[in-house]
Amino acid sequence: MPDSHDAPTQPGTSRSTSATIAPNILRCLRPVTDAYGVDLRPELNRVGLDEAMMRSAALRVSYRQGSAVIRRALELTGDAHLGLRVGAAQHLTSWGLLGFAQMAAATLREAIETGVRFQNLSGAMVVWSAGPEETGYVLRAELPDPALDPPVAVFLAEEAFASVVALTRLSSGQEFAPRGVEFAFPSPRDTAPFTELFRCPVRFGAVSNRLVFPTSWAGRPMPGRDPVTYTAVVEILEEQAASTRDRQDLLEVLEISIAQGLPEVPSFVEQARRHALSERTLRRRLVECGTTYEAVVDGVRRERVEQLLRRPELTLRDIARQAGFSDVRALRRAVHRWHGVTPARLRADAADR
C-alpha cells in the first residue's frame, strides 16, 4: 500500500496554517448550504476566499480556512450531520483528475488505492489509508489534527465516508453497501440518517474511523476500466503530486523554523540563507504556493496564540511575549483580526468547547 501523508516530525507546528489543500469540500459545501437558505460567501470572504478565487482550479486553502468555513456552516444550518449530506451530494468529477483515474482503474480496489496514493490532490481533509483485513477490504480515515473542534471532526469523518459510498454507487452500482462502518465519535441521538445512507451496521465510539468493503466488491471490475487511460492519467497525477510535495515540504520547513524561533522570528533574508536559496528564489517559490513569508509567520503566530490561550495559568502578557508580539495591544489587534473577538472571549470560548 502507498503510504499516507507523513505527519510533521517536530513539535510546535503543523500544516494547518499552509494553503496546500484543493478546496473541493468547500465547493461541494456551497450548494448544500444554499438549499438551507444559508449564504456562505461572508464566511468565505472572512477567511480570504472570494468568488473569483473559488472558481480557480489553482486555488489551495489551509486546514484552518477549511475548518473555519465548515464550523460556520454547521452553526448556520443547525444540521449536526451536514457532513453526510455534503458527502452524499458529490459526483464523479468532484475529485478532478483523480476521480477520472479511479473511474479508469481495473478494479474497485485499485480505484481505492489510487485515491489513497494521490490523496494530497483530492482536497482530502482527513488522512486516508487502506488494506485487506479478515473482515474485508478496510478504508480508514484519520484526522490530521486531533485538536480539531469536535463538530468539525464529526463533519470530516461523515463527509469522508459518505463521499466514498456515493462515488462507489455512481461508478460501480447503486446496490453497493459496505459490510460495516465505524466512527470514532460518540453515537448521535438519531442514527437513522447513517443507516439510511450506508445501508449496513454503523458503530459509534470506535477506536478509529473505518469503512469495510466486502471482499467481493473490492475485486469487482470497474465499469469504465481502461488501462491506457488509467496509465496516462496516473502519469499526470504523479507530476502534480511531486510538485505538491515540494510546496508542502517548503512550507512545513518554514513553519517549523518560525515556530522553534518564537518569540524571535527569523528574517526573510535569514530564512533564505538557512535553506541555501536566494531571496528571489524563496520569494518565487512562496508565490507558487500562493502565500508570502509574512502570511506564514502570521499563521504560525496564530496557531501559537491559540495553543497558549488554552493554558489558564498564562496571562495575556505572557502569551504576547511567547508569541513574539511587542505588547498586549498588538496581541489584541491580531486576535481581533483573526477571530473578530478579544483574546479573553476566545479563551472563554475555547474553555467552553
Side-chain angles (χ1 to χ4, degrees):
M1 274 305 301
D3 292 334
S4 57
H5 300 292
D6 289 329
T9 56
Q10 301 191 46
T13 189
S14 73
R15 289 177 178 163
S16 66
T17 62
S18 301
T20 57
I21 307 166
N24 297 344
I25 291 178
L26 299 187
R27 289 185 177 123
C28 295
L29 180 63
R30 281 284 304 276
V32 177
T33 55
D34 286 347
Y36 281 86
V38 169
D39 184 1
L40 278 186
R41 283 177 298 181
E43 182 59 27
L44 290 166
N45 290 335
R46 195 184 74 79
V47 299
L49 302 172
D50 59 27
E51 287 287 328
M53 293 173 69
M54 288 297 291
R55 288 194 295 268
S56 170
L59 176 65
R60 296 295 181 266
V61 299
S62 66
Y63 280 107
R64 188 180 302 284
Q65 288 173 306
S67 297
V69 175
I70 291 167
R71 187 180 305 112
R72 188 58 176 155
L74 289 166
E75 293 170 354
L76 293 174
T77 63
D79 185 348
H81 303 299
L82 189 63
L84 289 180
R85 312 201 199 296
V86 172
Q90 294 182 32
H91 45 78
L92 292 169
T93 56
S94 296
W95 294 358
L97 274 179
L98 174 56
F100 193 55
Q102 290 175 295
M103 292 167 60
T107 64
L108 181 56
R109 174 171 174 165
E110 185 175 60
I112 296 167
E113 293 181 350
T114 303
V116 172
R117 178 181 174 187
F118 295 109
Q119 58 185 285
N120 280 352
L121 303 177
S122 70
M125 292 181 67
V126 297
V127 180
W128 292 107
S129 61
E133 296 184 11
E134 290 185 5
T135 54
Y137 193 77
V138 178
L139 182 63
R140 306 175 200 87
E142 299 177 16
L143 296 175
D145 181 359
L148 278 174
D149 286 356
V152 175
V154 169
F155 174 97
L156 293 179
E158 290 181 352
E159 187 277 335
F161 286 160
S163 63
V164 166
V165 168
L167 297 184
T168 300
R169 287 174 179 159
L170 286 170
S171 64
S172 300
Q174 287 295 326
E175 71 276 18
F176 169 74
R179 175 167 288 178
V181 175
E182 298 178 358
F183 288 106
F185 56 82
S187 176
R189 293 180 181 178
D190 183 10
T191 61
F194 293 86
T195 53
E196 180 181 347
L197 173 63
F198 295 115
R199 306 176 201 158
C200 70
V202 180
R203 178 186 169 203
F204 300 93
V207 175
S208 59
N209 302 306
R210 299 167 73 252
L211 185 149
V212 182
F213 286 82
T215 303
S216 59
W217 271 92
R220 179 175 289 205
M222 294 290 287
R225 61 190 179 280
D226 186 310
V228 175
T229 299
Y230 177 79
T231 300
V233 178
V234 165
E235 287 177 356
I236 297 172
L237 293 174
E238 286 174 343
E239 293 175 0
Q240 293 181 355
S243 175
T244 298
R245 279 193 299 270
D246 289 343
R247 290 196 299 268
Q248 288 181 333
D249 289 346
L250 171 65
L251 292 171
E252 185 176 8
V253 165
L254 288 177
E255 287 180 350
I256 290 172
S257 175
I258 295 163
Q260 291 180 334
L262 287 177
E264 301 298 324
V265 176
S267 69
F268 184 79
V269 174
E270 173 64 13
Q271 290 285 21
R273 186 190 65 77
R274 287 183 185 181
H275 304 298
L277 297 171
S278 69
E279 294 176 51
R280 180 177 180 180
T281 298
L282 179 56
R283 187 171 290 107
R284 174 180 57 77
R285 290 186 62 185
L286 286 170
V287 168
E288 291 171 354
C289 295
T291 190
T292 64
Y293 184 59
E294 292 74 19
V296 176
V297 171
D298 194 55
V300 173
R301 275 181 165 159
R302 175 174 176 168
E303 187 170 33
R304 179 62 58 84
V305 167
E306 291 170 358
Q307 292 170 346
L308 296 174
L309 282 171
R310 298 188 184 103
R311 297 172 54 186
E313 75 276 11
L314 296 179
T315 66
L316 292 184
R317 184 173 298 171
D318 294 332
I319 294 171
R321 183 174 62 253
Q322 292 187 35
F325 289 98
S326 57
D327 52 35
V328 173
R329 286 181 298 178
L331 171 66
R332 288 197 178 101
R333 287 195 296 270
V335 171
H336 192 273
R337 173 167 53 84
W338 296 328
H339 296 280
V341 298
T342 65
R345 179 71 264 169
L346 187 62
R347 170 176 265 174
D349 291 344
D352 290 342
R353 287 196 298 269

